[in-house]
Amino acid sequence: MAEAKAPNQRGGHAEEVSAEALAEIGLRFEVDGEIATITLDRPDKRNAQTFATWSALARIGDNLPERVRIVVVKGEGPSFSAGIDLRMFTPEGVPGQGSFGSAARLDGPAFEERLRQAQSGFLWLRRPEIVSIAAVQGHAIGAGFQLALACDLRIVADDVKFCMKEPALGLVPDLTGTKPLVELVGQARAIDICLTARIVEAQEALSIGLAERVVPGDELAKAVQDKTAQLLTTNRDAAAATKRLLQGAAGRTLEEQCAAEGAEQAQRLRALFGGAS
Ligand code: ACO
């Protein structure tokens, strides 16, 4: 029997992308029990991302098996990701995917739809039912930085180099990264990081809250494995409910948050001990 999948945002189930199709795009996707791993796998091009990468990420999210609780996002080779494929800046663009020039010629609604599709590849990583962990080594530039920011946690190697390069190229970061960046490091630091397009290295990333942990490069996989094991020790429904509470906290008053805690707890108690539904 086919395994239950989390319904996608449109309430349906987009078709899964085959391993072969993912390989062509430069992605791997593996599920082992409650843990899913997405690997950016185009190391010879420093895991540069294209529109196809984001649309495949969205399809992976749409088809994520319900049993998955942890999603690890990592990059093969020396860099996590060098950001958007620089061919986008050329007149020819990325074969079959256009260029920034062709995107500039789209009308407002068509551009918005294309961007919404791209962003949907990142947004699902915040779902309450999962915890997403970015394992980041080397460069995480532009779209690479934003992919790391789309995850709940960032465990980084000591050679990590985060850079929000978009403003240096005349663009803005538009792949969902600006909100988590501000939430993690505060507005002043976010302005500094983005408007200088400077590199943030490991110790700074740790000290400003961009990374949860820094480890030597050869210990990155083990550190992610250990965090995954820790996260799997808690009750899955309680973990999802708690993540919902934490995600909603910034947008609520203290009184509203207290009420939200009560509502979630009432559901937990009913689930654990029975009672009125
Ligand atoms: N798009 C396409 N190809 C890339 C990209 C990219 N973003 N980044 C690197 N590559 C390719 C290089 O062209 C090179 O290909 P080649 O071997 O066929 O010549 C290969 O990857 C290796 O690149 P190097 O520069 O040799 O690797 P190095 O490890 O020395 O440097 C670094 C890595 C710092 C990431 C460098 O490649 C770089 O600066 N890349 C561009 C980063 C960038 O500006 N990204 C866009 C950000 S904006 C956004 O994402 C929206």
Side-chain angles (χ1 to χ4, degrees):
M1 201 173 101
E3 193 182 346
K5 311 260 175 50
N8 64 32
Q9 285 176 341
R10 291 171 298 283
H13 295 289
E15 214 170 293
E16 267 178 61
V17 194
S18 69
E20 294 73 30
L22 286 178
E24 255 177 52
I25 294 164
L27 281 173
R28 288 203 319 268
F29 175 61
E30 285 129 357
V31 178
D32 179 8
E34 296 174 301
I35 304 163
T37 304
I38 297 170
T39 308
L40 303 171
D41 191 16
R42 207 155 67 106
D44 53 323
K45 297 292 175 195
R46 301 298 180 266
N47 301 322
Q49 302 172 36
T50 64
F51 192 83
T53 315
W54 306 323
S55 125
L57 287 175
R59 300 270 283 280
I60 289 172
D62 283 346
N63 288 285
L64 196 70
E66 240 173 42
R67 68 177 191 274
V68 169
R69 289 186 61 187
I70 309 290
V71 177
V72 176
V73 181
K74 64 190 185 72
E76 205 59 70
S79 297
F80 176 73
S81 171
I84 199 165
D85 195 309
L86 293 176
R87 286 176 299 173
M88 284 294 289
F89 289 90
T90 65
E92 301 77 34
V94 178
Q97 300 183 48
S99 64
F100 279 128
S102 60
R105 289 188 291 277
L106 293 174
D107 64 16
F111 175 78
E112 278 164 31
E113 174 56 19
R114 191 170 161 84
L115 183 59
R116 197 197 59 75
Q117 279 175 21
Q119 290 170 336
S120 68
F122 292 61
L123 285 174
W124 67 269
L125 290 161
R126 294 263 171 211
R127 265 184 215 154
E129 296 75 24
I130 58 169
V131 177
S132 50
I133 306 173
V136 190
Q137 82 287 1
H139 287 96
I141 303 181
F145 191 1
Q146 294 190 72
L147 182 58
L149 284 166
C151 293
D152 294 310
L153 307 177
R154 281 145 297 280
I155 297 179
V156 306
D158 52 10
D159 69 345
V160 80
K161 288 181 173 56
F162 290 110
C163 172
M164 200 65 92
K165 186 139 179 215
E166 287 84 343
L169 300 171
L171 302 171
V172 301
D174 65 353
L175 291 167
T176 80
T178 54
K179 187 170 169 68
L181 183 64
V182 169
E183 285 171 354
L184 287 169
V185 306
Q187 189 156 153
R189 282 200 186 99
I191 288 174
D192 169 28
I193 290 167
C194 293
L195 275 62
T196 60
R198 70 182 176 83
I199 286 172
V200 178
E201 296 196 12
Q203 284 313 316
E204 183 184 3
L206 185 67
S207 72
I208 65 177
L210 207 47
E212 273 58 53
R213 195 170 165 206
V214 177
V215 295
D218 59 359
E219 292 173 23
L220 184 58
K222 173 79 167 60
V224 171
Q225 220 173 28
D226 290 348
K227 183 53 65 188
T228 298
Q230 271 180 353
L231 287 162
L232 289 176
T233 60
T234 53
N235 174 287
R236 77 179 295 151
D237 295 328
T242 304
K243 187 173 163 187
R244 268 196 303 275
L245 276 174
L246 298 173
Q247 286 180 319
R252 297 193 193 105
T253 64
L254 182 57
E255 291 71 22
E256 288 165 348
Q257 184 69 3
C258 289
E261 288 175 2
E264 291 283 8
Q265 194 70 304
Q267 273 195 44
R268 293 278 67 244
L269 293 174
R270 281 197 290 271
L272 290 172
F273 304 106
S277 57

